[in-house]
Amino acid sequence: MPPDTTPEKPVVIVGGGWAGLSAAIHLAHQGRAVTLIEAAGQSGGRARTVMFGELPVDNGQHIALGAYHHLLELLDIIGLHESLVFSRLPLSLNIMGDAGSVTLKASRLPAPFHLLGALLCARGLTATDKGRTLFNWFRLIGADTRHDMTVTELLHGTGQPERVSHFLWIPLCIAALNTHPDTACACLFQRVLKDTFMRQRKSSDLLLPCHDMGKVLPQPALDWLTRHNVKILTRERVIGLQLNQNEITGIITSRQTLPAEQVVLATNAWSAAQLIESIPGLSRLHKNLLQFDYESITTVFLRYAKAVMLDPVMQGYADRFTQWVFDRRITGQPEMIAAVISADSRYSNMDKDELVKTVIDDIKTVSKLPNEPTDSLVVRERRATFSATPKMERLRPTNTTALNGLLLAGDYTQTGYPATLEGAVMSGRQAADEIQKLAVRTD
Ligand SMILES: Cc1cc2nc3c(=O)[nH]c(=O)nc-3n(C[C@H](O)[C@H](O)[C@H](O)COP(=O)(O)OP(=O)(O)OC[C@H]3O[C@@H](n4cnc5c(N)ncnc54)[C@H](O)[C@@H]3O)c2cc1C
């Protein structure tokens, strides 16, 4: 008999966000045939480049942390040195409010003493506040958090001083979980604190992108995937799945039908819900995905006539509409400031001009920057992340589904992390690992 020359059916990955790119890279790295399909004209999903006039900016200012091991591993696989895309700064926080400011800088001690040293030497906290925070640190990260406990309950239950919560834990919770502490899940917050502050000193480093997000991962990832024979289809929407009984056999796009050995739905949760809607056996998953709640993030980019300097480059505002401001000199745009308003549903009806004016007033008042910008761009992502609440933790699905050969990837799946670049990349890797396990079992 002649050898079987039927070409290997590919794993089809639906969605070229950071989760889909991660799944594609891990599978191609393991030698699998892969096809990646993205509905938009560009990859990157919720972490992508947008244009502000002739300048590339992002759909939202992003930062990463030294604790993002899965993301750093991915850069390693595609041969992209971290320093080419991120500027690594030791943890330094400067948060300003109506009642003064709090500044802390990681000390040179190993973790977690680098944080404890930073708290001890922090400016803007009384000796009593420092003593109570240090004494209660291990209670904060070690408390037995019931699955329905919120961050506010955790902070109260572990005796965090009011001023430390106001200037530190609450801004960090909103930044990391994009959810207000009154509703945010305590377990998720603890996980972020542990990974960031307890493992290694460098885990708490801030990684600020040196380029627009498209150049940080999506474009280098696509170049690597092309070199590794991955078929990449853009501007092609997947509109249906093909099944044979309880097994996936292919996908239907706006242009064609493609056979698939396995399919990874690396879309956002609402697109995944649409694609599985009519599949018998997935009705529970479909129902859960429809119950997801989301939080928005608004970024206001302000362009000035000449370079503006914020010192430090990233500043937190504790009592303002604007929460974080970034001087984009690290991104090579010294004449630009990005202002971020997370979990901002309270302002969803605010008119664009009023929003820009409020941000400019905040920057003038808090950072004492007298200059007037010459231009502005508002990017509002209404479903930026899922709400990191205890309810949502119960709804997040695993990567595997009840349909053979169909997997999910995306920041919303069960990763133990909030919706972040790290969560997305981790989820892509988990989906690739599940596919690899199937291959080993079949051999
Ligand atoms: C404004 C903003 C600021 C943020 N800031 C940070 C930050 O500072 N740090 C951080 O770690 N995280 C941040 N995040 C979160 C982070 O960007 C996301 O968690 C991550 O990008 C999600 O990636 P994903 O691949 O899971 O999903 P997505 O990015 O949503 O990717 C899904 C992809 O699937 C495609 N798709 C959907 N349906 C179909 C279909 N039917 N056929 C084909 N393709 C389809 C979409 O076009 C998209 O490209 C921020 C998010 C936003 C929006």
Side-chain angles (χ1 to χ4, degrees), residues 82-197:
E82 174 204 307
S83 63
L84 293 173
V85 289
F86 287 116
S87 193
R88 185 181 269 270
L89 308 176
L91 176 76
S92 165
L93 292 174
N94 182 15
I95 301 182
M96 297 174 268
D98 293 342
S101 64
V102 169
T103 309
L104 58 87
K105 283 190 166 67
S107 73
R108 299 190 63 78
L109 299 167
F113 303 104
H114 71 311
L115 172 72
L116 303 182
L119 286 168
L120 199 63
C121 301
R123 280 191 291 158
L125 295 177
T126 63
T128 319
D129 281 345
K130 290 179 187 179
R132 273 181 61 199
T133 312
L134 289 173
F135 184 74
N136 288 323
W137 165 249
F138 289 97
R139 290 181 66 202
L140 178 66
I141 53 152
D144 183 10
T145 40
R146 288 170 282 112
H147 278 295
D148 56 351
M149 189 186 275
T150 65
V151 170
T152 298
E153 287 166 350
L154 175 70
L155 296 177
H156 286 156
T158 57
Q160 301 304 312
E162 188 86 13
R163 188 171 169 85
V164 176
S165 290
H166 183 70
F167 278 94
L168 202 57
W169 303 138
I170 293 175
L172 287 185
C173 170
I174 295 176
L177 273 60
N178 192 27
T179 306
H180 195 276
D182 287 349
T183 51
C185 173
C187 290
L188 273 183
F189 188 53
Q190 273 183 328
R191 165 79 189 263
V192 173
L193 290 180
K194 279 186 206 161
D195 277 10
T196 310
F197 297 120

Side-chain angles (χ1 to χ4, degrees), residues 173-175 177-181 183 294-298 323 340-347 381 384-385:
C173 170
I174 295 176
L177 273 60
N178 192 27
T179 306
H180 195 276
T183 51
Y294 297 94
E295 302 280 350
S296 57
I297 299 181
T298 299
Q323 293 155 347
V340 178
I341 306 113
S342 299
D344 74 340
S345 48
R346 284 171 297 157
Y347 311 112
E381 288 275 3
T385 67

Side-chain angles (χ1 to χ4, degrees), residues 14-21 37-40 42-47 59-64 68 175 236-239 266-268 270-272 274-275 297-299 340 379 381 383-385 409-412 418-425:
V14 184
W18 290 49
L21 293 170
I37 308 181
E38 166 57 51
Q42 70 183 123
S43 294
R46 277 170 284 150
N59 64 314
Q61 175 69 44
H62 279 71
I63 68 165
Y68 283 11
E236 191 157 338
R237 178 168 290 278
V238 173
I239 52 174
T267 67
N268 41 56
W270 59 96
S271 298
Q274 278 172 1
L275 286 169
I297 299 181
T298 299
T299 308
V340 178
V379 189
E381 288 275 3
R383 289 196 272 194
T385 67
D411 60 359
Y412 70 92
T420 51
L421 300 172
E422 175 69 357
V425 170

Side-chain angles (χ1 to χ4, degrees), residues 2-66:
D4 185 2
T5 51
T6 321
E8 188 188 348
K9 276 203 286 179
V11 179
V12 172
I13 296 171
V14 184
W18 290 49
L21 293 170
S22 164
I25 290 168
H26 283 290
L27 287 163
H29 192 53
Q30 291 156 5
R32 296 296 304 262
V34 177
T35 299
L36 177 72
I37 308 181
E38 166 57 51
Q42 70 183 123
S43 294
R46 277 170 284 150
R48 66 183 187 283
T49 302
V50 299
M51 295 307 284
F52 180 6
E54 77 291 1
L55 289 180
V57 291
D58 308 310
N59 64 314
Q61 175 69 44
H62 279 71
I63 68 165
L65 294 171

